[in-house]
């Protein structure tokens, strides 16, 4: 059966447990509300319970469930979204108690990813993550997902309806895993080619909606979709950029990070997320106009650690400066460079190029040499693999000042 996804109007109540975590539940729900909006749902209310930890059976305690029931009745809500990933038991119990659709943060994020997946690779990764999430929750999910016959949680990549049968899910998962292996092999090949070209790669990383795609577009006219919605980019786009007259670099834009990124997604998207791990330089894009900036930066560094992408030179961009009423001199003490930028006005982009040049030069060797006129081939090599600072024809030959990478030093 096919459903018209656009016309399923979901009105949801957001639910969180305030257990003294890294950020207040209220702020976490602000973000959950953004996610709900992105997934096409309307937020009808919020409920926060302060308790030491999440209730193992029902996420919130008995009293809160009664409160939720009333609120659902008053607002005519069609579902609730809990701010943490629910277990199969919690899902089933809440469904039993509340008789509306029960969703969680993970389901929501998976759903948004499903709607955004364009490339073959993205679709495989999202479907794999979705099926793994479902496979472990079939008993709890069953009723909830059939209740509305569509909407959040029923979307597959390319608006395909997901199969619910356990055996089919298992078969599909192993098939998708095989397909993903092929994709990963292909990606490895491309990375190897890149390495051989000798060009350095800088990966744009950052919290979702920080402006990664906008920065890449402003630098390279890449024409990537920029959108106020969360997770507008799922696929990686790599473009080359001339940092000055001679030095070229590759810039890669990729999927954004978020708090509590579902682990099924991290696993499925490993090869995409790992762009950061294989990059030579990290460009960390921060939305400097966001009140949650500090938490977001922390999440980004945590995610980089999980991906094994630490220990690289980092350039942090405090982006969206044009939105700040009172600009302050922001600094990221974990980064090698901090730059105030705006993808909108172009502020700081020259400074960014300068910083990238400096980083690349750090591992290069500076040479000043006089070549015979017959050695033009060597100068050509410097031009393509290093940075030719100056080249001057003098009576004795060609005087060259240049930075060269260690690999070609011996040859020139
Ligand atoms: N005012 C202003 N808006 C910006 C700036 N940079 C990005 N934006 C806006 O912020 C929103 C998100 O930008 P994107 O470039 O899509 O952000 P992203 O980091 O690629 O986001 P995801 O791909 O969703 O992770 C868009 O609406 C952009 O127009 C900036 O410097 N100033
Ligand atoms: Mg993007």
């Amino acid at each position: 059966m096919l459903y018209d996804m656009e016309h399923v109007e979901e009105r949801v109540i957001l639910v969180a447990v305030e257990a003294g975590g890294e950020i207040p539940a209220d702020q976490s729900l602000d973000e959950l509300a953004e996610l709900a909006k992105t997934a096409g749902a309307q937020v009808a209310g919020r409920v926060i319970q302060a308790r030491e930890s999440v209730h193992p059976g029902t996420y919130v305690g008995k009293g809160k469930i009664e409160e939720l029931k009333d609120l659902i009745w008053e607002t005519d809500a069609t579902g609730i979204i809990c701010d943490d990933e629910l277990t199969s038991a919690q899902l089933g119990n809440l469904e039993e108690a509340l008789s509306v659709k029960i969703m969680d943060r993970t389901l929501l994020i998976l759903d948004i990813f499903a709607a955004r997946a364009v490339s073959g690779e993205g679709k495989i990764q999202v479907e794999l993550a979705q099926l793994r999430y479902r496979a472990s929750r079939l008993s709890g999910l069953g009723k909830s997902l059939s209740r509305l016959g569509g909407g959040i949680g029923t979307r597959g990549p390319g608006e395909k309806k997901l199969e619910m049968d356990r055996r089919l899910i298992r078969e599909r998962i192993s098939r998708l895993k095989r397909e993903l292996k092929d994709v990963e092999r292909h990606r490895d090949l491309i990375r190897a080619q890149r390495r051989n070209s000798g060009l350095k790669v800088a990966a744009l990383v950052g919290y979702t909606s920080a402006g990664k795609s906008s920065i890449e577009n402003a630098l390279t006219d890449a024409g990537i979709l920029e959108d106020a919605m969360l997770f507008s980019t799922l696929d990686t786009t790599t473009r080359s950029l001339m940092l000055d007259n001679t030095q070229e670099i590759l810039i890669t834009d990729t999927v954004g990070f978020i708090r509590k990124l579902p682990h099924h997604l991290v696993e499925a998207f490993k090869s995409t997320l790992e762009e950061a791990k294989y990059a030579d330089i990290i460009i960390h894009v921060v939305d400097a106009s966001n009140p949650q900036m500090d938490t977001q930066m922390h999440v980004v560094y945590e995610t980089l650690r999980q991906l094994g992408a630490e220990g690289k030179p980092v350039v942090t961009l405090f982006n969206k400066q044009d939105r700040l009423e009172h600009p302050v001199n922001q600094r990221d003490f974990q980064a090698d460079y901090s730059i105030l930028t705006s993808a909108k006005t172009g502020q700081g982009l020259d400074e960014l190029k300068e910083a990238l040049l400096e980083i690349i030069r750090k591992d290069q060797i500076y040479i000043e040499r006089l070549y015979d006129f017959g050695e033009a081939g060597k100068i050509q090599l410097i031009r393509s693999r290093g940075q030719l600072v100056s080249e001057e024809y003098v009576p004795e030959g060609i005087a060259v000042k240049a930075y060269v990478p260690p690999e070609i030093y011996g040859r020139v």
Side-chain angles (χ1 to χ4, degrees):
M1 186 149 76
L2 282 172
Y3 302 104
D4 189 350
M5 308 292 176
E6 292 305 313
H7 292 100
V8 181
E9 167 110 347
E10 303 207 45
R11 288 231 315 272
V12 295
I13 292 171
L14 309 180
V15 188
V17 169
E18 177 82 78
E22 43 188 311
I23 78 164
D26 196 43
Q27 286 179 20
S28 190
L29 284 192
D30 287 345
E31 184 174 271
L32 194 68
E34 276 302 307
L35 288 166
K37 225 169 61 193
T38 303
Q42 213 182 48
V43 177
R46 294 178 173 208
V47 169
I48 293 175
Q49 180 170 41
R51 47 179 297 140
E52 255 161 46
S53 60
V54 162
H55 190 290
T58 48
Y59 188 63
V60 287
K62 245 203 192 99
K64 274 293 165 196
I65 292 198
E66 291 309 311
E67 194 182 308
L68 256 171
K69 257 188 211 164
D70 291 345
L71 193 59
I72 289 168
W73 191 79
E74 275 164 33
T75 58
D76 215 10
T78 56
I80 67 164
I81 304 180
C82 299
D83 198 32
D84 297 275
E85 194 168 307
L86 298 173
T87 63
S88 186
Q90 288 168 335
L91 215 53
N93 291 336
L94 281 171
E95 155 88 37
E96 183 92 21
L98 298 173
S99 304
V100 291
K101 185 167 165 184
I102 312 297
M103 295 160 279
D104 62 18
R105 190 181 241 268
T106 300
L107 187 77
L108 202 53
I109 294 177
L110 289 174
D111 203 71
I112 295 169
F113 269 63
R116 294 276 190 271
V118 197
S119 71
E121 178 178 11
K123 286 181 182 167
I124 296 170
Q125 291 173 324
V126 174
E127 196 183 344
L128 189 58
Q130 282 185 314
L131 290 180
R132 281 186 172 149
Y133 172 82
R134 275 149 188 273
S136 55
R137 285 175 186 74
L138 276 185
S139 51
L141 267 176
K143 269 178 281 167
S144 248
L145 288 187
S146 55
R147 184 170 293 281
L148 280 178
I152 296 168
T154 56
R155 264 163 249 168
E159 306 281 278
K160 175 169 38 171
K161 191 174 177 299
L162 291 168
E163 272 310 331
M164 293 300 291
D165 178 83
R166 201 180 288 272
R167 185 181 56 85
L168 286 177
I169 287 184
R170 257 202 317 270
E171 282 172 15
R172 184 86 186 132
I173 285 181
S174 39
R175 195 203 160 103
L176 288 169
K177 268 161 65 180
R178 278 197 303 275
E179 285 180 26
L180 204 56
K181 274 270 168 307
D182 285 343
V183 170
E184 279 162 10
R185 262 195 294 276
H186 179 67
R187 197 177 270 279
D188 284 344
L189 205 71
I190 291 180
R191 281 191 189 120
Q193 281 169 359
R194 251 194 231 156
R195 258 196 309 279
N196 287 338
S197 77
L199 289 178
K200 298 279 182 208
V201 179
L204 287 158
V205 304
Y207 212 77
T208 181
S209 250
K212 300 175 293 297
S213 301
S214 306
I215 290 283
E216 175 156 1
N217 285 339
L219 286 170
T220 69
D221 298 320
I224 308 164
L225 172 74
E226 318 170 354
D227 199 299
M229 292 298 194
L230 305 176
F231 299 114
S232 42
T233 311
L234 285 197
D235 296 315
T236 53
T237 308
T238 304
R239 286 284 180 279
S240 105
L241 169 69
M242 292 308 287
L243 293 175
D244 62 2
N245 291 329
T246 58
Q247 184 65 55
E248 194 181 353
I249 189 171
L250 298 176
I251 308 269
T252 292
D253 175 31
T254 182
V255 56
F257 302 161
I258 194 164
R259 276 179 61 244
K260 305 181 186 171
L261 196 61
H263 77 273
H264 287 306
L265 257 185
V266 175
E267 231 172 80
F269 269 79
K270 209 162 181 91
S271 76
T272 307
L273 290 167
E274 276 184 342
E275 281 302 326
K277 179 171 162 181
Y278 294 108
D280 302 291
I281 301 167
I282 301 285
I283 304 174
H284 177 183
V285 185
V286 176
D287 179 352
S289 71
N290 194 307
Q292 314 276 324
M293 178 180 91
D294 291 329
T295 323
Q296 298 186 344
M297 289 174 70
H298 178 70
V299 170
V300 170
Y301 279 115
E302 267 308 304
T303 313
L304 286 176
R305 244 189 293 285
Q306 278 169 27
L307 293 170
E310 317 154 80
K312 297 173 195 296
V314 176
V315 181
T316 294
L317 307 183
F318 290 94
N319 193 38
K320 307 198 189 180
Q321 286 296 319
D322 59 290
R323 280 205 193 159
L324 296 185
E325 255 174 70
H326 307 289
V328 279
N329 205 10
Q330 288 152 318
R331 268 203 68 189
D332 174 7
F333 290 97
Q334 300 199 57
D336 301 77
Y337 294 85
S338 297
I339 302 173
L340 310 184
T341 63
S342 164
K344 252 215 175 104
T345 66
Q347 179 189 343
L349 296 185
D350 286 335
E351 213 181 315
L352 168 61
K353 288 188 199 174
E354 202 48 55
L356 294 172
L357 263 180
E358 261 183 46
I359 293 171
I360 293 176
R361 274 186 192 154
K362 258 186 208 142
D363 341 302
Q364 296 193 340
I365 303 158
Y366 181 69
I367 57 168
E368 271 190 45
R369 207 160 286 177
L370 185 68
Y371 288 104
D372 283 341
F373 291 110
E375 292 180 302
K378 288 184 181 169
I379 296 171
Q380 193 47 45
L381 185 64
I382 295 173
R383 196 173 279 137
S384 65
R385 302 286 295 271
Q387 283 175 264
L388 197 59
V389 178
S390 73
E391 153 187 52
E392 206 183 324
Y393 285 79
V394 293
E396 304 80 40
I398 310 164
V400 165
K401 291 180 186 165
Y403 290 91
V404 296
E407 315 86 86
I408 66 159
Y409 180 70
R411 281 149 70 192
V412 300

